[in-house]
Amino acid sequence: MSTRGERLLTYLILGFFSLVALTPVIGVLSTALGPQSSLSTGFTLPEGSPEWGNFADAWDRGHFGTYLGSSVLVSVAVVTATTVLAVLAAYAFALMRFPGATVLFYLFVLGLTLPQEALVIPLYFDLRELELTDTYWALILPQTAQSLAFGVFWMRTYFRNSSPTVIEAARIDGAGTWTTLWRILVPMGRPAISTMVVIVFMWTWNEFLLALVMVSDESHRTVPLGLAFFQGQQNSDTALLAAASVLVALPVVAVYLALQRRFIEGMLTGAVKE
Amino acid sequence: MRAAHRRAPGEPRAVGYLYVLPALVVYGAFLLYPFGQSVWLSLLHWDGLTAATWAGSDNYRDLFTDPALRAPFWHALVLLLFYSALPVALGLLLAATMSRIRVRGLTFFRVVLFLPQVLAMVVVGVAWRSILAPDGLLNDTLDAVGLDALSRPWLGDSTWALPAVGGIGTWVGTGLCMVLFLAGVQRIPRERYEAARIDGAGAFREFWSVTLPGLRAEVAVALTLTIVAGLRNFDLIYITTSGGPGNATSVPAYEVYHRAFETNQVGSAAAVAVALALMIFTLTVAVSKLVEGRRG
């Protein structure tokens, strides 16, 4: 096969699959800007000028403003807790030796393959016993635990690869382990930490099953849960549903477009064992 | 002598426990402990309200004997073809065609192809319900090209609902595989292709002897990620079909929720959950063994 032919074929394949990847996204965007109370359940094209008011309606009438508030609160809490706890634990796993360290580390790695379905039943009954269902704690604590598997694994790799001479220099300057971590290794590790932050943010933001099980009152609903209920309503309008979908997806997509390298790197290496 | 030992592989310090402790407390209380409880619950008959009774291995035996429980696992295996095998095959197809050239605009293609991975599955489900609806984009397209005979309510058709849901999984996974293999194929040394060509290898043999072995690590990652995602597909099933029509698209992940929170069969749900976890673990290990075994 000639190189020219191969080049053409490659671009055709890339172009075709890019189009396939974008079609549902464009369809939802176009429907979100289309007229309300259209009878079609499929995608629609905007008639005349785009209806930006659909977003305002989804925000107010669809209560997505409230849901977004819940999602932001839960995401910020999970990301913050995961980052602090994962950095501390990974630092010890990477640079200190203590009996049982390997076993404990593998316990964390195990969490990478454990599906949420295998946890959610007892979590529901336990948290209901503690009267924590229908609170943000029921979303924050389990999601922090699940994110720690990735966080500890990811940050340990970073600390393992950090320069021993830098650590040695800090020690000669009289810095203890605590100071070395926060003054030197964490500032140097900003790229690794930000990759972890965006991945954990995405997982938390998109989480559905846990919210479905834990939350029954409307005031604690996160955006994916809100969207699912919105779709379940008999008379939900196609344009509003599409506008709501855009509101749900937009924060993660915006971060993705800004930091795509970190996203792809983090998601593809999360599964790689050493 | 102590100084010599102190450096590698890490410093012996009991203070390590203090650093690990906070993470371990949260992880233990909200992941390890509930998993242990799931295993315990799977050995009980329990409706979630009244006192539980001991079931022993009953719930697990039902996984093999009860058709209503066998079906979800069978569906999960069928869906893995769509979620995992098909995306990997399509990704390899792309890798094979582009192995000898440099692609311009790679960043653009990578960002677009990977986009389905970052969308919430709830959003993906809503979008695809529109496409697969009776008056949706797929049927409209079929009508437009004169294939009206093929159009149908995809998600409501007991034969076609499972492949239709599978197709959504293929859409989600294909970009991931392509992005992985795009990066991988560019790391294969050019000399190997030149050597193969000097040996008179055609495009097909070149793929088998150079591209595929060169992508072994990437294929393993792609299989692992897509298998795990394919078996954890609760969100998509809940949004698109709720396991229906009938139980045509019920999968273990959905059955766990359905049994535990809708039909009060908590013990049985826990058994499905533990079996699902074992299935994911086994397949993940098998993939990594398969890849390591062929190495060298």
Side-chain angles (χ1 to χ4, degrees):
Chain A
M1 225 193 304
S2 73
T3 313
R4 184 190 286 267
E6 281 173 349
R7 186 176 293 277
L8 189 67
L9 185 62
T10 305
Y11 280 108
L12 277 177
I13 295 178
L14 280 172
F16 173 76
F17 282 100
S18 299
L19 189 69
V20 172
L22 283 178
T23 301
V25 178
I26 293 169
V28 168
L29 274 175
S30 142
T31 309
L33 296 171
Q36 283 185 29
S37 66
S38 135
L39 289 174
S40 168
T41 52
F43 294 142
T44 50
L45 288 169
E47 292 168 15
S49 58
E51 305 263 354
W52 295 101
N54 290 341
F55 291 105
D57 282 353
W59 184 278
D60 293 330
R61 280 206 282 133
H63 306 293
F64 273 85
T66 325
Y67 303 158
L68 282 163
S70 297
S71 275
V72 168
L73 192 148
V74 171
S75 300
V76 168
V78 170
V79 167
T80 311
T82 304
T83 307
V84 173
L85 298 184
V87 163
L88 288 175
Y91 178 53
F93 283 132
L95 298 171
M96 299 174 195
R97 253 188 315 155
F98 48 96
T102 316
V103 174
L104 285 175
F105 176 66
Y106 279 113
L107 270 182
F108 278 100
V109 174
L110 191 70
L112 285 172
T113 61
L114 211 53
Q116 207 177 30
E117 288 80 3
L119 313 169
V120 76
I121 303 171
L123 276 174
Y124 170 74
F125 289 105
D126 290 348
L127 291 169
R128 197 183 62 174
E129 196 70 32
L130 298 168
E131 297 185 350
L132 287 177
T133 48
D134 278 324
T135 68
Y136 292 123
W137 292 111
L139 300 175
I140 294 168
L141 292 169
Q143 289 193 82
T144 303
Q146 285 160 39
S147 306
L148 277 173
F150 171 75
V152 169
F153 173 77
W154 178 258
M155 289 313 297
R156 190 184 88 129
T157 311
Y158 159 69
F159 287 124
R160 270 277 154 106
N161 295 330
S162 60
S163 152
T165 47
V166 170
I167 300 167
E168 186 62 22
R171 202 229 308 270
I172 290 168
D173 287 350
T177 48
W178 184 258
T179 320
T180 310
L181 173 64
W182 294 108
R183 286 284 168 76
I184 296 162
L185 291 174
V186 166
M188 270 172 49
R190 237 176 284 145
I193 292 174
S194 54
T195 297
M196 176 179 68
V197 165
V198 293
I199 298 290
V200 172
F201 163 67
M202 177 187 70
W203 284 341
T204 312
W205 188 270
N206 291 348
E207 170 54 41
F208 176 63
L209 173 60
L210 195 69
L212 179 68
V213 170
M214 294 297 172
V215 173
S216 57
D217 75 338
E218 191 170 354
S219 60
H220 289 89
R221 267 183 208 166
T222 55
V223 276
L225 191 61
L227 186 62
F229 275 91
F230 197 58
Q231 180 190 246
Q233 286 164 16
Q234 285 301 312
N235 53 356
S236 64
D237 187 90
T238 311
L240 280 186
L241 186 63
S245 303
V246 174
L247 289 179
V248 175
L250 198 60
V252 176
V253 172
V255 178
Y256 167 67
L257 292 179
L259 300 168
Q260 52 98 5
R261 257 173 215 286
R262 302 232 171 287
F263 260 89
I264 296 177
E265 177 199 17
M267 288 181 68
L268 296 185
T269 30
V272 192
K273 307 244 167 66
E274 290 172 79
Chain B
M1 189 201 105
R2 284 184 64 192
H5 274 277
R6 219 159 55 187
R7 295 304 319 152
E11 292 185 60
R13 273 170 195 255
V15 75
Y17 291 115
L18 284 179
Y19 282 90
V20 172
L21 192 66
L24 193 63
V25 167
V26 175
Y27 188 76
F30 296 96
L31 194 136
L32 296 176
Y33 178 64
F35 182 63
Q37 281 180 302
S38 283
V39 175
W40 170 248
L41 285 176
S42 73
L43 303 172
L44 304 174
H45 290 298
W46 190 36
D47 60 5
L49 300 163
T50 55
T53 56
W54 180 251
S57 60
D58 284 5
N59 291 324
Y60 289 99
R61 197 168 333 116
D62 288 349
L63 297 182
F64 295 97
T65 54
D66 184 351
L69 280 168
R70 264 198 319 229
F73 283 94
W74 169 245
H75 296 154
L77 290 178
V78 174
L79 284 179
L80 281 187
L81 290 179
F82 288 93
Y83 273 83
S84 191
L86 202 52
V88 169
L90 288 171
L92 285 175
L93 173 76
L94 179 69
T97 60
M98 67 161 291
S99 57
R100 289 198 256 187
I101 59 165
R102 268 196 55 227
V103 175
R104 260 176 254 139
L106 203 57
T107 307
F108 168 79
F109 286 119
R110 201 173 52 187
V111 169
V112 170
L113 290 171
F114 202 78
L115 183 64
Q117 287 288 321
V118 308
L119 298 174
M121 281 312 260
V122 177
V123 173
V124 170
V126 168
W128 277 92
R129 257 173 72 117
S130 279
I131 293 176
L132 299 170
D135 60 350
L137 185 65
L138 181 56
N139 284 342
D140 286 354
T141 312
L142 288 173
D143 292 349
V145 296
L147 292 168
D148 324 39
L150 291 179
S151 70
R152 65 193 79 232
W154 294 93
L155 294 169
D157 184 305
S158 53
T159 312
W160 285 94
L162 190 65
V165 171
I168 306 175
T170 308
W171 178 78
V172 173
T174 300
L176 173 110
C177 295
M178 285 188 165
V179 169
L180 256 171
F181 301 160
L182 275 173
V185 84
Q186 312 241 304
R187 279 196 293 266
I188 299 174
R190 297 295 96 189
E191 303 84 62
R192 288 201 207 155
Y193 286 105
E194 277 151 32
R197 239 163 293 167
I198 291 166
D199 290 347
F204 189 71
R205 237 187 67 202
E206 189 177 284
F207 173 75
W208 277 110
S209 59
V210 182
T211 308
L212 195 57
L215 287 176
R216 198 196 281 121
E218 283 80 8
V219 171
V221 173
L223 282 173
T224 308
L225 288 174
T226 53
I227 287 173
V228 172
L231 291 173
R232 284 178 175 176
N233 58 352
F234 171 80
D235 305 10
L236 192 60
I237 297 288
Y238 182 90
I239 295 294
T240 53
T241 64
S242 300
N247 72 345
T249 56
S250 74
V251 293
Y254 183 77
E255 207 59 32
V256 171
Y257 172 81
H258 178 63
R259 285 178 180 250
F261 301 110
E262 290 176 345
T263 63
N264 299 327
Q265 298 166 277
V266 179
S268 172
V272 176
V274 173
L276 179 67
L278 276 179
M279 200 169 156
I280 291 178
F281 186 75
T282 313
L283 286 172
T284 313
V285 172
V287 167
S288 71
K289 283 276 179 280
L290 205 69
V291 171
E292 276 167 22
R294 278 201 212 139
R295 189 167 294 161

